[in-house]
Amino acid sequence: MIVPLIRLTRPYYTLPLAAGLIVIAAYVTGGRLQNAAGPPVVAMLALYSVLSAAYVLNDVCDIRVDTLNSPRRMLPSGKASLRAAMSTAIGLFAAGPILASFCGAPFLAVLAMVTAGLVVYDVYSKRLGMFKSPLVALLTTSLYPLAFALCEPVETPRLHVVLWIHPPWLFLTTLGYEMLKDTCDVPGDGLAGNTCWSARCGSPGFLASARAILLAASLLTLLPYALGYCKAVYLASAVLAIGLVALSSCLRPARAIPLVYASVVVITAGSLADLWAYGP
């Protein structure tokens, strides 16, 4: 039972996303993470707990739809029980604020708002229609206000990356990513009663829009180097990320999704490596 419950938390998504908070905090502080309001690792674990809880709750709320879209998932397949999943979600949701309380009141307040948004999304996602993907993109981009709530900003060239360039990049990338996922979930969304929206998600124009958004977002990653905020290591990661997104546009959505996710990981890792290599 333990392994299925761990799989419900999607650690391959939640851990890199939570770790992204540390990278953003490093850019905010010019690499001086010791000036954070609380231990950055504890802040990362608080965010990881909340994100993991949200994934579990989402599967609980979507079990009927997942029975059609993804019958091999842990709940539809019976590998994990609803009761155990709900207990796990409640425990993780409780752990997040407890850990966040060691990172200062501003961080706790922002994380509480993010948690509320995640719960709203989980409960109402199949009824949000066109607002579903933008809400996920907004919640993902909340990594930046979380980092600023955790750390006192230090004026360095890299600060402008997390102020003006990477937030719209992450928002647009998440938006396109979620739109790709929507095209894969058309059968189940129709079952949930969203027949008009699911029909739109299944149209060629919707898929073309998702790909265009993703490509435009990937090109934004060149700006930190072009404006002199980042150096050669970052440029290499940006070029690789653009290549991954370009390749994803030639593939079916189900195969494109991992490449888009990989592009975000590449940019995050490249940003941190560039900071290590060249300093603030």
Side-chain angles (χ1 to χ4, degrees):
M1 180 65 74
I2 297 298
V3 172
L5 289 175
I6 291 174
R7 291 184 64 181
L8 277 175
T9 67
R10 312 290 205 285
Y12 43 87
Y13 288 133
T14 50
L15 272 175
L17 190 59
L21 175 65
I22 303 296
V23 179
I24 297 169
Y27 268 56
V28 170
T29 61
R32 304 182 185 98
L33 286 172
Q34 65 272 18
N35 294 336
V41 173
V42 174
M44 184 191 80
L45 290 175
L47 178 59
Y48 171 72
S49 296
V50 168
L51 292 173
S52 297
Y55 268 111
V56 178
L57 179 60
N58 184 259
D59 275 12
V60 170
C61 294
D62 288 353
I63 185 171
R64 179 167 168 262
V65 174
D66 287 342
T67 300
L68 179 60
N69 281 341
S70 307
R72 289 184 292 181
R73 284 186 176 177
M74 298 300 101
L75 292 180
S77 67
K79 294 177 182 177
S81 69
L82 276 173
R83 182 175 181 178
M86 275 303 301
S87 298
T88 300
I90 292 170
L92 288 168
F93 271 130
I98 292 173
L99 291 168
S101 66
F102 294 97
C103 300
F107 182 81
L108 175 59
V110 176
L111 186 66
M113 289 188 284
V114 172
T115 302
L118 289 169
V119 172
V120 168
Y121 170 79
D122 285 342
V123 174
Y124 297 105
S125 64
K126 298 306 179 186
R127 287 173 264 176
L128 291 173
M130 64 182 294
F131 299 105
K132 174 176 172 284
S133 295
L135 177 57
V136 177
L138 187 64
L139 288 168
T140 303
T141 312
S142 66
L143 283 172
Y144 295 93
L146 279 167
F148 279 92
L150 178 66
C151 304
E152 186 71 28
V154 175
E155 182 60 46
T156 69
R158 294 183 188 273
L159 180 63
H160 298 280
V161 176
V162 296
L163 275 173
W164 314 114
I165 301 174
H166 274 182
W169 158 73
L170 185 59
F171 180 89
L172 291 173
T173 299
T174 306
L175 179 62
Y177 179 90
E178 289 297 317
M179 289 172 70
L180 286 181
K181 288 176 63 179
D182 284 343
T183 65
C184 298
D185 293 342
V186 167
D189 286 350
L191 178 67
N194 297 325
T195 52
C196 292
W197 178 244
S198 62
R200 180 173 297 181
C201 292
S203 68
F206 187 86
L207 178 57
S209 297
R211 289 169 171 167
I213 290 170
L214 287 167
L215 185 58
S218 70
L219 293 176
L220 285 177
T221 62
L222 293 174
L223 284 178
Y225 177 80
L227 296 174
Y229 300 144
C230 295
K231 306 296 182 181
V233 173
Y234 174 86
L235 175 62
S237 69
V239 170
L240 176 57
I242 292 170
L244 289 169
V245 172
L247 178 60
S248 75
S249 67
C250 304
L251 302 174
R252 291 178 298 164
R255 297 199 173 193
I257 285 170
L259 294 183
V260 175
Y261 176 74
S263 75
V264 176
V265 174
V266 165
I267 288 295
T268 304
S271 298
L272 184 59
D274 198 76
L275 178 63
W276 282 344
Y278 301 104

